[in-house]
Each structure stands twice: as C-alpha cells, then as structure tokens.
Amino acid sequence: MVTMDDYKDGETEWCPGCGNFNILEAVKRSLVDLGKKPHEVLMVSGIGQSGKLPHYLKCNTFNSLHGRTLPPATGAKVANPVLTVIAVGGDGDSYGEGGNHFIHAIRRNPDITLIAHDNQIYGLTKGQASPTSELGMKTKVQTHGVLHTPFNPLAVAISLDCPFVARGFAGDVDHLSSLLSQAISHKGFSLVDVLQPCVTFNKLNTYKWYHDRVYKMEDDGHDPANRMAAFEKALEWGDRIPTGVFYKRDSEPFESKLDVLKSGPLIAKQYDSAKLDRVFENFS
C-alpha cells in the first residue's frame, strides 16, 4: 500500500505561504490515491520555483532547461511507456520559454500530464511580468503596468483539441488533488493549469482575490464533453473564475502509434554496442 511517507523527501526552499506547498501536497495525494509507487513515476521540470517541486518528491526525477520540460518528458514516455510521466513548470516556463513546446506537445499528444503553476509572475527571477500577468498589472520591472494581452493557456489548449484541460486552485487542495488524479488517469496529453498565489512578488492575485472569485464548474452543471461550452468557460475571467475540468475527450496517445513500440518498450530492447560506438565515433 502506497502512503504519503513514500513520497516524502527533503526540506523546501519556498517562501512561507507559497502556493507551491499546496500543489506539492495535491500531487502526493493524487499519486497515493491512484496507488502509484514512487518507482513507477517520473517527475520532469524546467527552471523556476515550480521546477523545484520534483526535488521534494521521492521518485524518479529529471530537471531540464528553462522551458524544456515537455521534450524530455515526451522522450521518457516513448522510451518507457509504462512510466507515469508528469511534467511541471511555471507560467513563464510553460507558456513563455516553453510556449512552442506547449503547442506542439498538444498536437503530438503523448500520454503525459503537465501541471502549470500559474502565479502570473516570474518568481525565481524576482518579480517580472509573465505571459499570464494581467493587463495593467504593475511589477518591479513593469512599473507603469503590463502592456501585453495575457496568454490564455486553456483557450489555446481547447482550440488545439487537447484531450484533457483543467484548472485548479492552490487554495483548494482537495479539489486540486481530484483534478490531478483525473488528469494522470486520462490517456493522452493532459493540462492542469493551477492558480497559484505568489505571496512575495504578486500582490494583486492573492489567496483572498481568488477565494472571492473562483467557483467549481461541476456545481453549475458544466459538461466537459461540450467543446464549445469549454471554450466559452476558458474565456471567463474577472468577477467569476471557473475551476474544474473544462474539456476532455478520448484520444490515442502518440506512443501507441509508433510501430517500434509494438514489440515492447525501448528500454527492454537489445542493442548492438559496436554500432553505438561507431555512431559516437562520428561525433568525436
């Protein structure tokens, strides 16, 4: 039986009150609820405060370059499809530096889950506006206010027919854990955008600000099979902010389409070391 202690590892370096603590708690709960053993799980991250999350979990981890979370996560899933692969990144890491990978990973549709810690600010580099910062929001760098239209990851994902699109709130661990469990269990690329207050650098989108606005779409009878309704919900932002599963559909994951995997995972295949040596010699 898998327990929370199986995933316990290390002291964190996040600011007291950071939303990342609750995301970490939700990840552990969902993995325990799903009965996933640590050796069955790979957590992949890029750079940022969000990128530290795998450091605090006792399981397989890979720390990639800034914005490059999804390529190694996809490669690992192809090499070993039995792994449960979870990618984590911030709004800057996932939608800024990694924006191109975000779009094309959805098109490719590997069976991995992306958890985007969306605090609408660059936290590791001390408070610059990110792709999801609100128009007019003032930061230490954007002292006269953000000039660019915020990136809407949910609307983009739904428009690309991403098979699972959800939004959670770090202030509601029970609901977030449920969403993560659904995302991890769903076949194909799954996006869970998490509204995560940054208590140090974002003084606008606070816990109270979100608590006054967020609501669960399942309480309003939203049907996640309705793509057009999902897109309309993705555009809703202001006095009311929806959370929950926006959209989901059945899909065939990328790795299941590869002929080379029909005889088993790549990690189980034998290889000719002499041929490999000759390949390396070409680059020496």
Side-chain angles (χ1 to χ4, degrees):
M1 179 178 177
V2 184
T3 69
M4 295 288 279
D5 283 344
D6 291 325
Y7 283 97
K8 185 178 181 181
D9 195 24
E11 295 293 324
T12 66
E13 296 180 348
W14 293 322
C15 302
C18 176
N20 282 333
F21 287 102
N22 285 350
I23 298 176
L24 177 62
E25 175 75 9
V27 169
K28 289 180 181 178
R29 284 194 199 180
S30 64
L31 292 173
V32 170
D33 288 345
L34 293 171
K36 299 288 184 183
K37 299 175 182 176
H39 74 273
E40 299 173 329
V41 177
L42 171 65
M43 300 289 300
V44 184
S45 67
I47 301 299
Q49 296 294 356
S50 60
K52 297 177 181 176
L53 185 139
H55 303 177
Y56 311 136
L57 282 168
K58 186 185 290 182
C59 62
N60 300 299
T61 63
F62 185 90
N63 200 186
S64 182
L65 302 174
H66 204 357
R68 304 296 181 260
T69 313
L70 293 173
T74 302
K77 187 66 182 181
V78 170
N80 188 2
V82 301
L83 268 179
T84 295
V85 180
I86 301 171
V88 295
D91 38 302
D93 192 57
S94 300
Y95 308 139
E97 283 84 356
N100 192 44
H101 296 304
F102 173 68
I103 290 171
H104 294 286
I106 292 174
R107 292 180 55 240
R108 190 169 291 119
N109 194 35
D111 184 19
I112 63 178
T113 298
L114 171 62
I115 304 171
H117 302 217
D118 192 350
N119 60 12
Q120 297 162 277
I121 203 82
Y122 279 94
L124 185 69
T125 47
K126 314 306 181 196
Q128 303 92 337
S130 81
T132 56
S133 296
E134 296 208 19
L135 197 64
M137 174 182 168
K138 294 183 179 180
T139 75
K140 292 195 302 182
V141 177
Q142 288 77 24
T143 55
H144 297 289
V146 173
L147 301 175
H148 307 304
T149 302
F151 181 74
N152 187 326
L154 302 180
V156 170
I158 294 166
S159 70
L160 292 171
D161 208 18
C162 179
F164 187 96
V165 181
R167 176 194 281 146
F169 171 43
D172 188 343
V173 177
D174 289 341
H175 188 236
L176 178 57
S177 177
S178 171
L179 294 175
L180 294 179
S181 294
Q182 293 178 65
I184 294 168
S185 301
H186 197 81
K187 292 296 181 186
F189 189 89
S190 299
L191 168 67
V192 182
D193 184 81
V194 184
L195 304 174
Q196 178 238 316
C198 174
V199 296
T200 301
F201 295 112
N202 187 339
K203 302 301 183 184
L204 172 63
N205 309 112
T206 63
Y207 282 101
K208 183 181 185 309
W209 191 90
Y210 282 122
H211 275 299
D212 289 342
R213 290 165 172 79
V214 297
Y215 72 95
K216 299 181 181 69
M217 289 184 295
E218 53 264 42
D219 294 340
D220 280 5
H222 173 66
D223 177 10
N226 187 331
R227 190 178 177 194
M228 290 306 296
F231 192 78
E232 290 179 5
K233 286 293 183 183
L235 300 182
E236 187 177 350
W237 184 271
D239 292 338
R240 301 189 81 217
I241 298 175
T243 60
V245 180
F246 284 66
Y247 177 62
K248 64 178 180 180
R249 66 173 177 85
D250 293 335
S251 72
E252 183 181 8
F254 169 64
E255 58 274 13
S256 68
K257 302 175 184 175
L258 299 176
D259 288 340
V260 70
L261 296 179
K262 290 180 178 175
S263 58
L266 296 182
I267 61 165
K269 294 183 183 299
Q270 298 295 318
Y271 67 92
D272 186 335
S273 60
K275 288 184 178 178
L276 189 60
D277 289 341
R278 288 196 293 274
V279 171
F280 283 135
E281 286 172 2
N282 291 331
F283 293 96
S284 63

